[in-house]
């Protein structure tokens, strides 16, 4: 067998049918790149020739650092068909965890985009591997008459290894064998049937392989799939309208973006026939918004995991109707390919007989176990996790311990109550979080709530303020949580994969930091990123002092160093989960100091005074206005360029300063002052002009500009340049 056999068969039957359509550009565009099934086979043949020419062979594991797109799927199909093993690394994985994954993967080669592979030397595990930079797929379809190969493999042959960006424990690589991939494909197709003329818009990248096996067309969403919670709803809804989409899928955070946008504008999409929602539980308002936006669709909420997908599903109308029938979240009847048991997690669970002995009666809450041909049997490079979560069965399958808790109702439907490790000890009993969080989420004014254990005791965390404090106390008292510690946060941290599940580890860390702040004698506790932001006080202060001493080139060099700190603090805060409102406010004040106040003083002290200084006042006023708007709305999306600034960014003042000082070396003061006045007035207007401006996003761009500018003016200062 070979998982790719159905893909080859679909290409033989429908060579002219659209296989993949991918929007071009960072955040999507009106132009698309596409492959028909016949062209897909030509591209696969071409890529197989490249893989073989690179010395790769059957059984080799190859790391893939590729964004979802034509080249990724062509490469994966080419590898699977040859018996090679793609190792998929989730984008956004923390660096420390990535190093661990690289060490455990057993890969002998790596293929990635140039922006990623240029940093290979930072990861010792990559030093010994063969490395290729992806060159794009444009040459695939001109490969001539090459025929792709699809070798026969045993069902237990490794297919794909996937690692997710979980935040705790040793990385677990899901061992997706060719047999399990085929079984998962069949299980998905059984409970989510497709039609021959379907056009799917999936936000789960792995579903593209399933669609290719079904022979249906796939259009990738016009957004960054690594950040589904920030999806550009307007662009995606435009795809629904123009691309003939008949079915779609996504996580709750992704669908929430779409349905809110549609509800605000009264949009309905009758052409969508089928929808799958997965990756996390959802709220009642979201369920109703989905039904409102997609009135003709069969909408189901799917419960599953990387190791077992699907486990169960429920129709959204049934979910809405029975929302309050039981505590917890209804996820429906088990899928036809899945066997589900609710067991007592305190009992021994080492073999099949012990599982049967630990089964709880209907209505009792316990750990959810699942078995079936589509359930993965092992993890790669992590025998401890395999022993802990996989229980052998006499039929050769395994019981997979999901780590989720829940119960079966009298109708045989599954209700989730939380994660086993997230239960909280209250009054000598372990309390599951979902029922309480669901009741709190229903209160007016509360956007999202969490029940977590912190230092052994329960803590309720809320985003938003309840309109009726008495109703809040009634819920807490009814759950045995009267007098519990209640903490408020500006926003709840969520998982990096679907942006939908609560990230309880980060939430505990955040609460710990806030409590340390409260215990501190200072009004706020600064983190390392805050100190980097505050370095702008030192560098810009030294710049002003240099200008007062008529050392204008040195002042400019120091301001470029200040720009470097300002650029890196946000990147590091996002990287290490240190973002908070205080950091944004602090960064905004530093922007005023570095890009508005300090440059204005340098200009003034250089002789741009008197009537000329009116231009400086215009820049200060426009700059403060623009920064206030930015702090309120953040970045905006720009076609073909991803995120952009609304209004010209204030840091361009340093580019103007640099150009002015260089011109002042060769032009008389009236000329240089006149040019500067025109530049500052134009800059002031551009800062408040309602249009997107380019945003530097690459680290190499930032380093080149800041260090290059600082080095240039430091060199000119040391060389004793005249005229400035």
């Amino acid at each position: 067998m070979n998982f790719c056999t159905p893909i080859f068969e679909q290409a033989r039957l429908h060579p002219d049918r659209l296989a993949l359509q991918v929007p071009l550009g960072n955040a999507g565009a009106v132009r698309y790149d596409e492959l028909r099934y016949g062209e897909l086979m030509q591209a696969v043949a071409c890529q197989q020739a490249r893989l073989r020419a690179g010395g790769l062979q059957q059984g080799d594991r190859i790391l893939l650092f590729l964004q979802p797109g034509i080249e990724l799927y062509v490469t994966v199909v080419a590898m699977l068909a040859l018996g090679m093993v793609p190792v998929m690394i989730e984008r956004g994985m923390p660096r420390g965890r990535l190093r661990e994954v690289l060490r455990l993967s057993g890969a002998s080669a790596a293929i990635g985009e140039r922006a990623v592979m240029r940093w290979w030397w930072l990861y010792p595990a990559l030093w010994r591997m063969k490395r290729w930079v992806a060159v794009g797929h444009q040459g695939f379809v001109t490969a001539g008459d090459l025929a792709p190969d699809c070798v026969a493999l045993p069902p237990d042959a490794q297919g794909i290894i996937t690692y997710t960006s979980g935040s705790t424990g040793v990385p677990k690589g899901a061992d997706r064998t060719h047999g399990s991939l085929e079984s998962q494909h069949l299980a998905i197709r059984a409970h989510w049937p497709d039609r021959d003329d379907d056009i799917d818009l999936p936000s789960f990248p792995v579903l593209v392989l399933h669609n290719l096996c079904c022979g249906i067309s796939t259009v990738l969403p016009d957004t960054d799939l690594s950040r589904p919670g920030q999806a550009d709803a307007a662009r995606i809804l435009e795809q629904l309208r123009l691309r003939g989409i008949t079915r779609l899928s996504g996580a709750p955070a992704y669908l929430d973006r779409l349905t809110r946008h549609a509800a605000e504008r009264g949009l309905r999409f009758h052409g969508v026939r089928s929808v799958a929602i997965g990756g996390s539980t959802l709220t009642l308002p979201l369920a109703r918004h989905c039904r409102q936006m997609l009135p003709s669709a069969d909408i189901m909420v799917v419960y599953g995991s990387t190791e077992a997908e699907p486990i169960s599903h429920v129709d959204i109308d049934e979910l809405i109707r029975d929302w309050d029938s039981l505590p917890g979240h209804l996820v429906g009847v088990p899928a036809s390919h899945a066997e589900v048991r609710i067991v007592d997690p305190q009992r021994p669970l080492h073999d099949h007989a012990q599982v049967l002995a630990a089964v709880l009666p209907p209505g009792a809450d316990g750990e959810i176990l699942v078995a079936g041909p589509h359930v993965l049997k092992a993890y790669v490079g992590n025998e401890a996790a395999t022993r802990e979560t996989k229980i052998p069965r006499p039929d050769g399958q395994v019981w997979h311990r999901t780590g989720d808790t829940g119960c079966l109702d009298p109708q045989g439907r599954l209700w989730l109550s939380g994660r086993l490790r997230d239960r909280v000890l209250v009054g000598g009993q372990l309390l599951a979080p979902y029922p309480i969080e669901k009741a709190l989420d229903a209160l007016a004014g509360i956007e999202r709530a969490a029940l977590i254990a912190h230092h052994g005791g329960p803590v309720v965390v809320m985003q938003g303020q309840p309109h009726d404090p008495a109703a809040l106390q009634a819920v807490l008292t009814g759950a045995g949580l009267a007098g519990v510690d209640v903490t408020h946060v500006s926003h709840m941290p969520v998982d990096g994969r679907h942006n939908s599940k609560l990230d309880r580890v980060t939430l505990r860390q955040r609460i710990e930091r806030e409590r340390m702040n409260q215990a501190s004698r200072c009004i706020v506790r600064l983190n390392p990123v805050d100190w980097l932001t505050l370095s702008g006080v030192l560098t810009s202060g030294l710049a002003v002092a240099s200008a007062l001493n008529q050392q204008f080139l040195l002042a400019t060099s120091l301001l470029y160093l200040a720009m470097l700190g300002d650029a890196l603090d946000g990147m590091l805060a996002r990287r290490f989960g240190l973002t908070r409102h205080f950091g944004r406010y602090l960064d905004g004040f530093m922007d005023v100091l570095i890009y508005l106040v300090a440059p204005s003083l340098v200009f003034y002290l250089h002789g741009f005074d008197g009537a000329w200084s009116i231009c400086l006042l215009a820049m200060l006023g426009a700059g403060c206005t623009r920064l206030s708007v930015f702090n309120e709305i953040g970045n905006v999306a720009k076609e073909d360029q991803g995120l952009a600034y609304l209004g010209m960014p204030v840091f361009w003042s340093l580019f103007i300063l640099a150009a002015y000082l260089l011109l002042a070396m060769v032009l008389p003061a009236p000329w240089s002052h006149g040019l500067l006045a025109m530049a500052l007035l134009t800059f002031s207007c551009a800062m408040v002009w309602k249009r997107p401006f380019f945003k530097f996003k690459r680290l190499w761009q930032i380093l080149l500009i800041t260090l290059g500018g600082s080095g240039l003016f430091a060199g000119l200062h040391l060389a004793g340049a005249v005229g400035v």
Side-chain angles (χ1 to χ4, degrees):
M1 69 167 297
N2 190 303
F3 171 69
C4 291
T5 301
I7 302 177
F8 280 61
E9 179 63 13
Q10 294 296 342
R12 185 186 67 81
L13 294 173
H14 310 291
D16 296 325
R17 177 177 293 174
L18 176 67
L20 288 168
Q21 190 178 78
V22 180
L24 298 175
N26 291 333
V30 296
R31 296 181 296 112
Y32 286 82
D33 206 355
E34 60 183 42
L35 280 185
R36 310 261 163 203
Y37 272 90
E39 295 171 335
L40 172 64
M41 289 297 99
Q42 294 179 41
V44 166
C46 181
Q47 188 70 322
Q48 287 180 342
R50 293 177 179 175
L51 294 170
R52 284 168 167 158
L56 300 177
Q57 52 191 313
Q58 183 175 324
D60 284 348
R61 297 181 186 176
I62 301 102
L63 292 162
L64 294 184
F65 299 96
L66 299 171
Q67 295 185 35
I70 287 177
E71 185 166 18
L72 171 64
Y73 295 110
V74 167
T75 302
V76 169
V77 173
M79 288 181 177
L80 289 173
L82 291 177
M84 300 173 188
V85 183
V87 180
M88 313 296 288
I89 305 297
E90 188 160 305
R91 295 167 63 196
M93 184 177 289
R95 182 173 296 177
R97 185 173 170 83
L98 177 58
R99 287 196 179 97
E100 187 72 3
V101 166
L102 296 179
R103 184 182 65 82
L104 295 172
S105 67
S108 58
I111 302 174
E113 295 153 355
R114 187 176 302 277
V116 176
M117 296 303 290
R118 66 162 54 97
W119 303 106
W120 66 269
W121 48 273
L122 292 175
Y123 301 93
L126 291 176
W127 297 355
R128 59 175 176 79
M129 296 184 192
K130 298 176 182 178
R131 299 178 301 275
W132 287 276
V133 173
V135 295
H137 73 281
Q138 287 78 6
F140 287 165
V141 296
T142 60
D145 296 326
L146 287 175
D149 288 334
C150 189
V151 302
L153 298 166
D156 61 352
Q158 281 189 336
I160 300 175
I161 299 174
T162 56
Y163 289 90
T164 58
S165 60
S167 57
T168 60
V170 178
K172 293 190 292 186
D175 187 5
R176 301 174 183 265
T177 65
H178 280 259
S180 66
L181 284 169
E182 181 182 52
S183 296
Q184 190 174 63
H185 158 64
L186 295 175
I188 294 173
R189 200 169 196 183
H191 93 288
W192 193 25
D194 54 271
R195 286 171 39 168
D196 198 52
D197 62 344
D198 267 331
I199 302 176
D200 191 17
L201 187 77
S203 75
F204 302 123
V206 71
L207 273 181
V208 176
L209 293 175
H210 167 75
N211 290 347
L212 293 175
C213 288
C214 296
I216 62 178
S217 301
T218 299
V219 178
L220 288 185
D222 198 356
T223 193
D224 183 353
L225 291 178
S226 69
R227 299 180 179 89
Q230 301 175 25
D232 190 328
R235 290 178 177 272
I236 297 169
L237 295 181
E238 189 71 359
Q239 286 182 291
L240 291 183
R241 188 177 69 86
L242 297 178
R243 297 289 156 183
I245 305 301
T246 62
R247 66 186 218 160
L248 60 91
S249 58
Y254 174 82
L255 270 299
D256 187 58
R257 298 276 293 187
L258 269 58
T259 56
R260 284 178 183 270
H261 189 88
E264 291 170 358
R265 290 156 180 79
L267 302 177
R268 305 287 187 275
F269 298 91
H270 294 273
V272 178
R273 301 189 293 245
S274 183
V275 179
I277 307 173
S280 178
T281 58
L282 69 163
T283 64
L284 184 57
L286 173 57
R288 288 171 172 161
H289 284 153
C290 286
R291 172 49 69 213
Q292 183 181 24
M293 185 182 94
L294 305 161
S296 306
D298 293 325
I299 307 174
M300 64 176 179
V301 178
V302 182
Y303 165 56
S305 66
T306 298
E307 299 87 350
E309 179 69 49
I311 296 176
S312 68
H313 71 275
V314 61
D315 181 82
I316 204 163
D317 296 315
E318 180 182 354
L319 177 67
I320 294 171
R321 185 191 68 219
D322 295 343
W323 183 263
D324 292 320
S325 296
L326 285 176
H329 291 282
L330 174 63
V331 290
V333 296
S336 58
H337 287 62
E339 190 177 346
V340 173
R341 295 288 185 273
I342 308 297
V343 301
D344 182 355
Q346 305 303 317
R347 299 279 296 272
L349 295 171
H350 303 298
D351 57 40
H352 182 64
Q354 290 179 339
V355 168
L356 297 182
V359 172
L360 296 171
D365 194 82
E367 184 180 3
I368 301 169
L369 271 60
V370 60
H374 65 307
V375 176
L376 304 187
K377 297 180 180 179
Y379 296 106
V380 177
N382 196 332
E383 294 182 4
T386 299
R387 288 194 302 270
E388 181 182 350
T389 62
K390 309 295 182 181
I391 305 170
R393 286 167 40 118
D395 59 4
Q397 298 177 9
V398 297
W399 286 108
H400 170 62
R401 300 186 64 172
T402 64
D404 293 327
T405 59
C407 68
L408 290 169
D409 67 12
Q411 302 174 53
R413 301 180 303 180
L414 188 59
W415 292 74
L416 297 183
S417 60
R419 293 285 292 169
L420 195 62
R421 66 170 181 248
D422 293 333
R423 294 185 300 175
V424 180
L425 187 63
V426 179
Q429 290 186 323
L430 287 172
L431 208 59
Y434 285 1
I436 299 158
E437 292 169 356
K438 178 181 171 183
L440 292 172
D441 289 345
L443 298 178
I446 296 180
E447 297 180 48
R448 194 162 190 179
L451 172 67
I452 63 173
H454 188 65
H455 293 313
V459 176
V460 170
V461 186
M462 293 188 300
Q463 178 181 336
Q465 292 285 348
H467 295 169
D468 185 356
L472 170 63
Q473 291 305 316
V475 171
L476 296 178
T477 301
L481 294 169
V484 71
D485 186 10
V486 177
T487 299
H488 294 268
V489 295
S490 57
H491 68 280
M492 288 286 189
V494 292
D495 68 290
R497 187 179 189 188
H498 299 308
N499 301 166
S500 301
K501 295 179 182 177
L502 285 173
D503 185 345
R504 297 175 192 269
V505 173
T506 300
L507 189 57
R508 291 188 189 97
Q509 294 171 348
R510 182 178 296 176
I511 291 173
E512 182 67 22
R513 289 197 301 266
E514 291 184 358
R515 290 188 173 182
M516 290 176 66
N517 288 341
Q518 293 172 1
S520 173
R521 294 180 180 273
C522 299
I523 60 174
V524 67
R525 189 181 184 90
L526 300 175
N527 60 44
V529 172
D530 296 331
W531 285 110
L532 177 59
T533 305
L534 280 171
S535 69
V537 174
L538 175 63
T539 47
S540 60
L542 290 173
V544 172
S546 299
L548 288 169
N549 288 317
Q550 301 297 300
Q551 296 174 317
F552 301 108
L553 295 174
L554 178 59
T556 305
S557 175
L558 289 166
L559 287 177
Y560 271 88
L561 283 181
M563 182 195 287
L564 175 61
D566 176 62
L568 291 180
D569 61 0
M571 297 175 66
L572 293 174
R574 290 186 293 272
R575 177 75 174 178
F576 296 107
L578 297 175
T579 56
R580 54 177 176 164
H581 286 308
F582 170 80
R584 288 188 64 185
Y585 298 145
L586 184 63
D587 185 75
F589 285 118
M590 288 302 102
D591 287 346
V592 172
L593 182 60
I594 296 169
Y595 304 123
L596 298 177
V597 174
S600 295
L601 287 171
V602 175
F603 285 130
Y604 189 87
L605 293 169
H606 193 269
F608 194 73
D609 52 12
W612 295 113
S613 60
I614 295 175
C615 300
L616 299 178
L617 296 177
M619 180 182 74
L620 288 167
C624 290
T625 301
R626 190 232 170 268
L627 286 172
S628 299
V629 172
F630 175 76
N631 285 335
E632 181 179 4
I633 69 171
N635 296 309
V636 296
K638 182 180 180 183
E639 188 175 296
D640 293 332
Q641 293 187 16
L643 293 179
Y645 294 110
L646 183 63
M648 195 170 193
V650 291
F651 61 73
W652 277 78
S653 64
L654 297 192
F655 301 156
I656 296 173
L657 174 61
Y660 165 69
L661 292 178
L662 292 175
L663 286 174
M665 296 180 186
V666 296
L667 293 179
W671 283 88
S672 60
H673 287 177
L675 291 173
L676 176 59
M678 290 188 289
L680 290 179
L681 291 176
T682 303
F683 176 47
S684 301
C685 294
M687 282 193 286
V688 294
W689 187 15
K690 191 177 181 181
R691 69 172 296 272
F693 282 82
F694 178 77
K695 176 181 175 68
F696 295 102
K697 295 176 281 290
R698 307 265 185 203
L699 180 60
W700 69 267
Q701 295 172 331
I702 294 169
L703 293 177
L704 178 64
I705 292 170
T706 55
L707 295 180
S710 180
L712 171 65
F713 284 93
L716 290 173
H717 168 74
L718 293 174
V722 296
V724 290

